[in-house]
């Protein structure tokens, strides 16, 4: 009998537990306040801690005792100026962190009972939080890497490598000494060139990393970032999928593409692909304890600044 994969079969956070913790608006407000100011209120203007509470109609406002600056619970966070009840945000965070597969904006619309545009905006704000949280991720130790492409043909577009909707990225997986996967990085690159790979390695690999790659010439640039490079050439008589040294990067890439293709059927990879890669990376790197992934995302959301819809809809290189 095969050994149970305890990561896959962990209980996570059940819907009952979620509703007990975050089922009411007051519970959600208290959770946001605790996540934003774990040691008590801190003025965003002068960093003072003394304050009083002022009510403007139904809006709870914190007034700094030092500079008199007023701020609301959600001002200056990813929830800034939201017209949605925080309950809806928490429901979205629950489904984005606890479901086995990805959740599209269309499915999220149905799950939490909002219009599509609201679901899209909410989802992309949360994906942006994941993106910014994962941006500084750096891998050390043994790291398998591979080149990959995300996306393909859009309606009326051109298929293949020349497709305007196909973007290139590098997949990297840190493993233990006995080759079990720990962490991953999925990063877009403009091209698979020596300069791009060197810049990528400098940002995402520690100098102590041992990088295992196939024979793609550009991967030799990881040595310029101080990494040790082990090149395993894939010849005509064998495929990388048959080589144990690439087991996990191939497995995880396959899972990533299956999840994305099975959930997102018509969206702009060129414009938003970095967020969908970050979503997969964020969840994969926190998969060992699903019960705390929602509180961790809440903490990140409460400490990420406001991101407007106009800004969210800009292409990555315009932000």
């Amino acid at each position: 009998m095969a050994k149970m994969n305890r990561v896959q079969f962990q209980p996570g956070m059940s819907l009952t537990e979620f509703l007990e913790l975050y089922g009411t608006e007051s519970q959600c407000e208290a959770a946001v306040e605790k996540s934003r100011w774990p040691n008590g209120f801190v003025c965003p203007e002068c960093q003072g801690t003394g304050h009083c509470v002022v009510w403007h109609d139904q809006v709870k406002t914190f007034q700094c005792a030092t500079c008199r600056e007023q701020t609301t619970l959600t001002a200056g966070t990813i929830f800034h100026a939201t017209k949605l009840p925080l309950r809806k945000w928490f429901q979205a965070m629950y489904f984005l962190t606890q479901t086995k597969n990805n959740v599209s904006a269309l499915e999220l619309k149905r799950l939490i009972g909002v219009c599509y545009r609201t679901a899209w905006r909410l989802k992309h704000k949360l994906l942006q939080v994941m993106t910014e949280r994962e941006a500084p991720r750096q891998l050390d130790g043994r790291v398998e890497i591979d080149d990959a492409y995300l996306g393909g043909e859009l309606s009326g577009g051109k298929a293949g490598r020349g497709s305007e909707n196909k973007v290139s990225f590098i997949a990297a997986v840190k493993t233990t000494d006995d080759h079990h996967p720990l962490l991953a990085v999925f990063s877009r690159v403009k091209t698979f060139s020596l300069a791009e790979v060197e810049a990528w390695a400098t940002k995402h690999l520690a100098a102590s990393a041992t990088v295992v790659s196939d024979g793609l010439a550009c991967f030799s640039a990881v040595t310029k970032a101080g990494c040790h490079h082990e090149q395993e050439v894939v010849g005509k008589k064998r495929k990388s999928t048959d080589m144990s040294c690439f087991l996990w990067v191939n497995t995880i890439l396959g899972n990533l593409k299956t999840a994305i293709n099975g959930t997102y059927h018509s969206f702009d990879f060129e414009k938003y692909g970095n967020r969908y890669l970050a979503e997969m990376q964020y969840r994969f790197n926190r998969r060992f304890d699903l019960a705390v992934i929602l509180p961790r995302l809440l903490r990140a959301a409460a400490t990420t600044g406001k991101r407007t819809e106009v800004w969210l809809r800009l292409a990555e290189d315009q932000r």
Side-chain angles (χ1 to χ4, degrees):
M1 184 176 178
K3 187 178 179 180
M4 178 186 290
N5 186 323
R6 296 192 179 277
V7 174
Q8 289 187 349
F9 282 87
Q10 64 181 294
M13 179 184 290
S14 70
L15 182 58
T16 299
E17 291 171 323
F18 168 76
L19 292 174
E20 288 175 350
L21 291 171
Y22 310 113
T24 67
E25 192 69 9
S26 60
Q27 286 177 308
C28 295
E29 290 172 355
V32 171
E33 184 173 342
K34 183 65 175 176
S35 294
R36 185 177 184 183
W37 300 306
N39 299 313
F41 172 82
V42 177
C43 176
E45 188 69 23
C46 72
Q47 308 306 306
T49 56
H51 70 285
C52 63
V53 173
V54 179
W55 290 89
H56 296 290
D57 294 327
Q58 301 294 318
V59 180
K60 183 180 181 180
T61 305
F62 299 82
Q63 180 170 298
C64 177
T66 303
C67 69
R68 315 297 288 177
E69 179 73 14
Q70 292 188 352
T71 186
T72 64
L73 179 62
T74 57
T77 72
I78 204 68
F79 312 109
H80 185 90
T82 183
K83 296 180 181 178
L84 280 178
L86 285 174
R87 296 193 318 279
K88 297 291 186 181
W89 283 89
F90 275 72
Q91 290 166 15
M93 286 189 284
Y94 176 77
F95 289 117
L96 289 178
T97 59
Q98 298 299 311
T99 55
K100 180 172 171 48
N101 299 314
N102 294 344
V103 178
S104 68
L106 182 60
E107 186 176 7
L108 191 63
K109 162 190 177 295
R110 296 167 179 157
L111 287 170
I112 68 175
V114 295
C115 71
Y116 178 80
R117 180 173 176 176
T118 297
W120 185 97
R121 181 170 59 244
L122 195 159
K123 177 178 172 64
H124 275 261
K125 285 191 176 187
L126 293 175
L127 260 56
Q128 183 61 29
V129 172
M130 296 179 183
T131 301
E132 294 183 28
R133 205 65 166 181
E134 282 295 304
R137 176 74 64 183
Q138 194 173 71
L139 305 180
D140 59 4
R142 181 184 181 277
V143 181
E144 300 174 15
I145 67 173
D146 199 6
D147 59 305
Y149 289 89
L150 184 67
E153 184 179 2
L154 275 177
S155 178
K158 180 170 57 175
R161 285 181 180 246
S163 170
E164 299 85 354
N165 194 40
K166 199 162 194 172
V167 299
S168 51
F169 70 98
I170 295 175
V173 179
K174 173 184 176 177
T175 69
T176 60
D177 292 337
D178 54 353
H179 294 200
H180 289 289
L182 290 175
L183 299 167
V185 166
F186 309 120
S187 305
R188 284 187 58 177
V189 290
K190 293 179 181 178
T191 60
F192 292 112
S193 66
L194 290 169
E196 281 282 310
V197 172
E198 180 185 354
W200 172 85
T202 300
K203 180 178 180 180
H204 292 293
L205 298 177
S208 58
T210 296
V211 180
V212 183
S213 78
D214 61 19
L216 194 64
C218 63
F219 286 147
S220 64
V222 300
T223 59
K224 295 183 179 180
C227 303
H228 176 67
H229 185 211
E230 294 182 0
Q231 189 178 57
E232 299 286 346
V233 178
V234 180
K236 294 182 179 179
K237 295 184 179 181
R238 61 178 181 173
K239 299 178 180 179
S240 66
T241 50
D242 298 327
M243 301 169 65
S244 61
C245 58
F246 299 126
L247 171 63
W248 285 112
V249 71
N250 283 326
T251 300
I252 292 165
L253 262 179
N255 293 342
L256 181 153
K257 292 181 177 180
T258 297
I260 286 180
N261 292 335
T263 304
Y264 308 117
H265 303 295
S266 180
F267 74 92
D268 195 334
F269 284 90
E270 176 62 32
K271 201 171 184 181
Y272 305 124
N274 63 309
R275 289 198 196 117
Y276 291 92
L277 289 173
E279 177 186 23
M280 298 295 295
Q281 181 177 320
Y282 186 93
R283 291 175 54 173
F284 181 83
N285 291 342
R286 291 160 181 77
R287 70 195 184 282
F288 294 109
D289 193 348
L290 293 179
V292 301
I293 189 171
L294 190 155
R296 292 178 70 179
L297 180 58
L298 172 60
R299 169 64 179 164
T303 54
T304 299
K306 65 179 180 180
R307 304 289 183 264
T308 65
E309 182 176 353
V310 171
W311 185 88
L312 288 169
R313 290 188 180 275
L314 293 173
E316 183 180 7
D317 59 1
Q318 296 176 321
R319 289 185 231 123

